C-alpha cells in the first residue's frame, strides 16, 4: 500500500504493527498510518509600559543659549504643556467684557436720538401746534384739567429724557465705578432762590387780588387756569432736582434747562389764555414779568453749563500734567 507522508516538520505519524495470519483468507491489514497536522502557534509579545528601576530616566531637552537667558521653557521642560486655567478664564472674561461693551454701545446709540424725540413729541408739539380752542373750553374745571394733562404729558417725556441721559452718562462696563457728580453748594443755593422766587410772585398776585390791592379782581378759577399748571410743574421740577442731587446723577446740570425751557412756553400759552379769559391788564403785565424772569434764569443756567464744561476740562488738564510729571 502506498501512502502520502508529509515531512516530519509539519506532519506527525503513528504506525501500527502488522499482524499476519496463516489463513490468507482472513487477513487483516496490520499497517495503518494516521497523520495529524501540527498546529502552528504564533509567539505574541506582551508590552509593558512600567519602567523598571534600573532603566535610565527620560532625557529632557532645553535650549542653551546665552541670548535668551533661560527664558525658553522657563516654567517647565516638558515638551507639551497645556494652557493654565487662570489664563483661559482671564481670556474668557476679556471676551465677555468686550461683548458687553459692544452690546451696551449698540443699545445706547439710539438713545441719543430717541431722548430728544420723546422730549419734542411730549412737550413742544402739543404746545406749539395744538389749537387753543381744543384745550380751552371756558373758565371751568374742564379747561384746568386739560391744561394740567398737557403738562403731565410733558413731565412724563422729560422724565424719560433724563433717564436716557443718565444711562448714556454711565460707564460701559459693570466693573467700572459709576460716574457720580455732586453740584456745588453755590449752584444749589442759586437754584433754590430761583425756584422760590417763581412761587412768590404768583402768590402775591393771588393775595393782592383777593384783598383788593389789585383792581379789578381776578377770579380764582381764572387764576387757577392761568397759573395753576405753572405752579404744579414748578413743584415737580424742584422735587426732581432734589432727587438728582441726592443720587449724584450727572443729569443735575440738564434738568433745570429742560424744565425752564418748557416753562417759558407754558407762560406764553398763559398769555394767550389771558386774552380769552378777559384777564385784567395788571395780570398780563405780571405774567410778562414772569416770562422775562425765567428767560433770565434760563440764560444763567446755560452759562452754568459752559462754566462746568470749562471747569471739568481744567481738572482733566491738571490731572494729565500731574501724571506726566510723576
Amino acid at each position: 500500500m502506498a501512502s502520502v507522508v508529509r515531512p516530519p516538520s509539519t506532519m506527525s505519524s503513528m504506525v501500527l504493527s502488522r499482524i499476519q495470519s496463516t489463513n490468507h483468507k482472513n487477513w487483516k491489514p496490520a499497517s495503518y498510518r494516521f497523520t495529524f497536522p501540527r498546529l502552528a502557534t504564533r509567539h505574541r509579545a506582551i508590552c509593558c509600559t512600567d519602567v523598571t528601576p534600573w532603566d535610565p530616566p527620560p532625557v529632557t531637552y532645553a535650549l542653551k543659549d546665552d541670548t535668551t537667558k533661560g527664558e525658553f521653557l522657563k516654567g517647565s521642560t516638558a515638551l507639551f504643556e497645556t494652557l493654565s486655567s487662570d489664563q483661559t478664564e482671564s481670556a474668557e472674561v476679556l471676551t465677555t467684557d468686550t461683548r458687553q461693551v459692544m452690546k451696551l454701545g449698540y443699545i445706547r446709540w439710539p438713545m441719543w436720538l430717541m431722548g430728544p424725540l420723546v422730549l419734542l413729541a411730549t412737550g413742544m408739539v402739543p404746545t406749539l401746534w395744538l389749537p387753543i380752542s381744543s384745550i380751552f373750553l371756558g373758565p371751568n374745571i374742564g379747561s384746568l384739567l386739560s391744561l394740567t394733562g398737557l403738562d403731565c404729558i410733558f413731565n412724563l417725556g422729560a422724565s424719560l429724557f433724563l433717564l436716557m441721559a443718565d444711562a448714556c452718562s454711565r460707564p460701559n462696563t459693570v466693573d467700572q465705578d459709576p460716574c457720580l457728580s455732586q453740584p456745588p453748594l453755590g449752584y444749589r443755593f442759586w437754584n433754590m432762590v430761583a425756584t422760590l422766587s417763581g412761587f412768590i410772585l404768583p402768590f402775591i398776585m393771588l393775595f393782592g387780588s383777593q384783598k383788593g390791592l389789585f383792581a379789578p379782581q381776578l377770579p380764582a378759577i381764572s387764576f387757577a387756569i392761568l397759573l395753576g399748571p405753572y405752579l404744579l410743574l414748578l413743584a415737580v421740577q424742584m422735587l426732581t432736582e432734589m432727587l438728582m442731587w441726592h443720587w449724584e446723577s450727572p443729569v443735575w446740570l440738564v434738568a433745570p434747562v429742560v424744565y425752564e425751557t418748557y416753562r417759558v412756553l407754558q407762560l406764553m400759552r398763559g398769555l394767550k389764555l389771558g386774552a380769552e379769559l378777559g384777564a385784567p391788564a395788571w395780570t398780563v403785565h405780571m405774567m410778562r414779568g414772569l416770562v422775562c424772569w425765567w428767560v433770565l434764569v434760563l440764560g444763567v443756567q446755560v452759562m452754568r453749563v459752559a462754566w462746568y464744561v470749562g471747569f471739568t476740562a481744567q481738572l482733566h488738564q491738571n490731572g494729565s500734567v500731574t501724571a506726566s510729571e510723576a
Side-chain angles (χ1 to χ4, degrees), residues 139-182:
N140 51 29
I141 301 298
S143 299
L144 177 62
L145 293 178
S146 62
L147 293 172
T148 306
L150 284 179
D151 294 340
C152 289
I153 292 173
F154 164 75
N155 185 35
L156 180 62
S159 300
L160 292 176
F161 172 78
L162 293 176
L163 288 175
M164 292 181 188
D166 182 78
C168 291
S169 66
R170 298 293 177 181
N172 292 329
T173 58
V174 184
D175 297 336
Q176 297 179 358
D177 295 332
C179 182
L180 301 179
S181 178
Q182 191 170 2

Side-chain angles (χ1 to χ4, degrees), residues 9-20:
S9 60
T10 58
M11 301 290 293
S12 61
S13 61
M14 182 175 65
V15 180
L16 300 177
S17 60
R18 179 179 298 182
I19 303 173
Q20 295 184 355

Side-chain angles (χ1 to χ4, degrees), residues 175-254:
D175 297 336
Q176 297 179 358
D177 295 332
C179 182
L180 301 179
S181 178
Q182 191 170 2
L185 183 60
Y187 178 84
R188 295 184 184 183
F189 177 76
W190 161 251
N191 272 28
M192 293 301 295
V193 168
T195 305
L196 292 177
S197 63
F199 279 109
I200 291 172
L201 187 58
F203 283 109
I204 290 176
M205 293 171 58
L206 180 61
F207 181 78
S209 176
Q210 296 297 326
K211 295 298 182 179
L213 298 177
F214 302 108
Q217 185 179 3
L218 181 66
I221 186 64
S222 299
F223 175 84
I225 291 174
L226 292 177
L227 295 175
Y230 159 81
L231 294 173
L232 179 61
L233 192 61
L234 187 59
V236 172
Q237 177 190 348
M238 185 172 62
L239 179 61
T240 303
E241 289 183 357
M242 292 175 67
L243 289 176
M244 296 297 176
W245 300 341
H246 177 70
W247 293 335
E248 298 182 357
S249 174
V251 190
W252 59 265
L253 197 61
V254 184

Side-chain angles (χ1 to χ4, degrees), residues 10 14 30 34 38 49 58 67 88 120 163 170 221 241 308 326:
T10 58
M14 182 175 65
F34 301 93
R38 289 185 180 180
T49 58
T67 59
T88 54
L120 178 65
L163 288 175
R170 298 293 177 181
I221 186 64
E241 289 183 357
Y308 188 75

Side-chain angles (χ1 to χ4, degrees), residues 1-191:
M1 297 178 66
S3 64
V4 179
V5 180
R6 294 187 180 183
S9 60
T10 58
M11 301 290 293
S12 61
S13 61
M14 182 175 65
V15 180
L16 300 177
S17 60
R18 179 179 298 182
I19 303 173
Q20 295 184 355
S21 176
T22 55
N23 191 1
H24 293 282
K25 296 180 180 180
N26 298 325
W27 68 277
K28 297 180 180 178
S31 178
Y32 297 95
R33 186 179 296 272
F34 301 93
T35 60
F36 301 94
R38 289 185 180 180
L39 299 176
T41 58
R42 183 179 297 174
H43 297 282
R44 301 182 182 272
I46 300 175
C47 298
C48 182
T49 58
D50 295 336
V51 182
T52 56
W54 53 83
D55 289 340
V59 180
T60 56
Y61 297 93
L63 184 61
K64 294 181 179 180
D65 193 357
D66 296 335
T67 59
T68 58
K69 296 181 180 181
E71 294 180 357
F72 183 76
L73 295 178
K74 185 176 180 180
S76 174
T77 57
L79 186 59
F80 298 101
E81 184 177 5
T82 59
L83 191 63
S84 62
S85 60
D86 295 337
Q87 295 178 354
T88 54
E89 289 178 358
S90 61
E92 291 177 358
V93 168
L94 288 175
T95 53
T96 53
D97 290 342
T98 306
R99 292 176 181 175
Q100 289 178 359
V101 169
M102 293 177 65
K103 288 180 180 179
L104 289 174
Y106 290 142
I107 292 173
R108 289 178 181 178
W109 285 349
M111 291 185 183
W112 289 91
L113 184 61
M114 191 182 301
L117 285 177
V118 169
L119 192 63
L120 178 65
T122 57
M124 302 306 168
V125 172
T127 305
L128 296 177
W129 280 278
L130 199 62
I132 297 295
S133 60
S134 61
I135 304 172
F136 179 70
L137 304 176
N140 51 29
I141 301 298
S143 299
L144 177 62
L145 293 178
S146 62
L147 293 172
T148 306
L150 284 179
D151 294 340
C152 289
I153 292 173
F154 164 75
N155 185 35
L156 180 62
S159 300
L160 292 176
F161 172 78
L162 293 176
L163 288 175
M164 292 181 188
D166 182 78
C168 291
S169 66
R170 298 293 177 181
N172 292 329
T173 58
V174 184
D175 297 336
Q176 297 179 358
D177 295 332
C179 182
L180 301 179
S181 178
Q182 191 170 2
L185 183 60
Y187 178 84
R188 295 184 184 183
F189 177 76
W190 161 251
N191 272 28

